Amino acid sequence: MTFDRSLKIAPSILSADFANFGAECEAIEAQGADWVHVDVMDGHFVPNITFGPATCAAIRPHIKGVMDVHLMIAPVDPYIDAFAAAGADHITAHVEAGPHIHRTLQAIRGAGAKAGVAINPGTPAEAVAPLLDMADLVLVMTVNPGFGGQKFIHATLDKIRAIRAMIGDRPIHIQVDGGIDAKTAPLAAKAGANALVAGSAVFKGGSVSEPKVYGRNIKAIREAALGTYV
Ligand code: DX5
Ligand code: ZN
């Protein structure tokens, strides 16, 4: 498939109803989500626990498009095959999660998934420079990972700009994650992000019985971002 840098909205199911993941995934896709963002947390790399490969496998049949799996776990390598077998299209690992991110990205591609590399707010843009030939996606965390509903960290915008310049014409997505809403999405898009993760801002006010709210929320983020996306 050819690379496509068009703007993508990736709702995070961290803000969905955990008792209803299948229907929630179907609802956000029907309401305009481009990718379904799945936040895996281990209570060790980040101070919160969500779910693992079994949940990813269970929701896979409910997702028509891209299952975008963000691993906030350490170690990563022992679990890559399990997430690939669960049907992850993208598997993103953090540079801070271990000493061998290069090997991790190789293993992700080796398992047949697109490889993403994530950096926390305290990690400089230069950390991804040696990895760009190994990566299909760079995820710039715009909050400290672990919880939904946090405030966007504006100091990450310079980093997005720096990474956008580093990437040039390479077929690599720049994803932002944390505190993205209709106010901050245009800032991230202007700085060069093309894949916007949003949890609270997509799911707020809606439910599987009120899915149109998701549609309105997604549209508000997309339209705001398209106003500045180049
Ligand atoms: C943070 C997660 C995010 C989070 C975003 O640790 O990686 O995906 O769910 O949530 P909001 O959009 O509510 O900041
Ligand atoms: Zn995430």
Side-chain angles (χ1 to χ4, degrees), residues 12 14-15 37 39 41 70 72 141 145-150 177-179 197-200:
S12 164
L14 185 62
S15 296
H37 186 79
D39 285 310
M41 303 185 187
H70 176 194
M72 286 159 277
M141 286 304 304
F147 302 95
Q150 303 181 78
D177 186 0
V197 176
S200 345

Side-chain angles (χ1 to χ4, degrees), residues 116-117 119 128 132 135-140 163 167 172-175:
V117 56
I119 53 171
V128 301
L132 294 180
D136 303 293
L137 179 151
V138 175
L139 167 50
V140 179
I163 292 170
I167 282 176
I172 302 174
H173 296 289
I174 302 184
Q175 186 172 52

Side-chain angles (χ1 to χ4, degrees), residues 136-202:
D136 303 293
L137 179 151
V138 175
L139 167 50
V140 179
M141 286 304 304
T142 43
V143 299
N144 287 297
F147 302 95
Q150 303 181 78
K151 215 169 157 310
F152 182 85
I153 299 172
H154 287 259
T156 57
L157 290 168
D158 280 345
K159 221 157 54 168
I160 298 166
R161 272 188 283 275
I163 292 170
R164 183 71 193 85
M166 252 183 233
I167 282 176
D169 289 334
R170 289 188 239 213
I172 302 174
H173 296 289
I174 302 184
Q175 186 172 52
V176 285
D177 186 0
I180 298 294
D181 58 20
K183 283 206 177 70
T184 54
L187 306 175
K190 189 174 182 198
N194 70 291
L196 313 180
V197 176
S200 345
V202 167

